[in-house]
Structures are given as structure tokens and as C-alpha cells.
């Protein structure tokens, strides 16, 4: 599982992990029933605290993305991928509403805003 932690990202590390795992699930790179690395293994790979990975896994489980089985590990939960996609789309729309508001305050034209968005979208 490829997870990249960025010190430049303003989000806490556990949020970076949860966002990336959700992305892997939505992209179909992780399928229902797939095992995730143990919290200890992931913490060691990322060189972070086990407490941080535990928090990320707990958040993913609370949101219904993971199922944890005592003694067996954590697995991708069976979920409706269309519902997951809709949830992510709502999040994107909320962020875009804030971005459009900020762009208008800055006096950006629509084409300038779209140029910025295209540039940022292509960065990852």
C-alpha cells in the first residue's frame, strides 16, 4: 500500500493516511476484503507513531471504510462504491465553493480560476 506523508501538508498525519486509503478504495486499487497492513507495520513503514496509525484506522472504521477483526487485522469493508463516490463529490463541491468565493474576492476571472485549478489538479 503506497501512502506518502507530506510535511508540507497542513493536515495531521492521520488525516493524510485516511484520505489516501479512501482514495485507494474509490479508485479500485483496494477492494472489499483486501487486508491492510497492521497498524504496527504501517507505522514502521511510514516512520510514525503506532498511535497515529491507530487513529487513522479507527477513523476509517468509524466511517465504514474498514472492518477490524480481533486477531486477524483490518480489511476493506463491503460498501456501495457509488455512495462513497457521492460522499467524496460532496466534499469536493464544498471545497470548490470556498475556492470560488476566495477567487471572486481576489477579483479572478473565471478562466484564471480554471487555469489555477487545472495546474493544481495536474500536480499530483
Amino acid at each position: 500500500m503506497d501512502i506518502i506523508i507530506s510535511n508540507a501538508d497542513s493536515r495531521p498525519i492521520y488525516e493524510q493516511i485516511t484520505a489516501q486509503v479512501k482514495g485507494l478504495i474509490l479508485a479500485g486499487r483496494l477492494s472489499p476484503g483486501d487486508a491492510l497492513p497492521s497498524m504496527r507495520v504501517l507505522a514502521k513503514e511510514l516512520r510514525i507513531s503506532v498511535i497515529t496509525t491507530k487513529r487513522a484506522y479507527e477513523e476509517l472504521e468509524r466511517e465504514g471504510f474498514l472492518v477490524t477483526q480481533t486477531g486477524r487485522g483490518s480489511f476493506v469493508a463491503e460498501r456501495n462504491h457509488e455512495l462513497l463516490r457521492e460522499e467524496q463529490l460532496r466534499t469536493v463541491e464544498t471545497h470548490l465553493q470556498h475556492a470560488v468565493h476566495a477567487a471572486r474576492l481576489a477579483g479572478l476571472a473565471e478562466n484564471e480560476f480554471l487555469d489555477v485549478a487545472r495546474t493544481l489538479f495536474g500536480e499530483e
Side-chain angles (χ1 to χ4, degrees):
M1 186 165 66
D2 297 324
I3 302 242
I4 299 167
I5 302 300
S6 171
N7 291 330
D9 194 325
S10 62
R11 296 175 298 171
I13 293 171
Y14 83 92
E15 285 183 12
Q16 292 181 50
I17 295 169
T18 57
Q20 289 180 55
V21 171
K22 287 177 190 178
L24 292 170
I25 293 169
L26 290 171
R29 292 185 53 208
L30 286 175
S31 302
D34 284 353
L36 270 67
S38 73
M39 292 177 213
R40 282 182 168 63
V41 168
L42 184 60
K44 186 176 180 180
E45 288 176 359
L46 298 176
R47 296 184 176 143
I48 60 173
S49 167
V50 174
I51 294 168
T52 303
T53 56
K54 184 178 189 309
R55 185 167 181 189
Y57 278 32
E58 286 173 346
E59 182 72 22
L60 288 162
E61 187 168 16
R62 186 173 25 261
E63 292 181 18
F65 286 91
L66 296 184
V67 175
T68 301
Q69 299 173 356
T70 306
R72 293 197 61 225
S74 296
F75 303 87
V76 176
E78 296 283 340
R79 283 197 64 184
N80 181 336
H81 287 284
E82 283 302 312
L83 180 61
L84 291 176
R85 185 161 164 65
E86 281 298 318
E87 289 174 13
Q88 291 298 104
L89 185 57
R90 278 195 303 272
T91 300
V92 168
E93 288 172 351
T94 300
H95 289 292
L96 283 174
Q97 286 172 341
H98 293 293
V100 166
H101 179 71
R104 287 183 176 145
L105 288 175
L108 288 176
E110 181 180 345
N111 62 332
E112 292 174 306
F113 174 78
L114 292 174
D115 286 343
V116 170
R118 283 186 193 100
T119 300
L120 293 173
F121 196 79
E123 285 183 357
E124 292 187 39

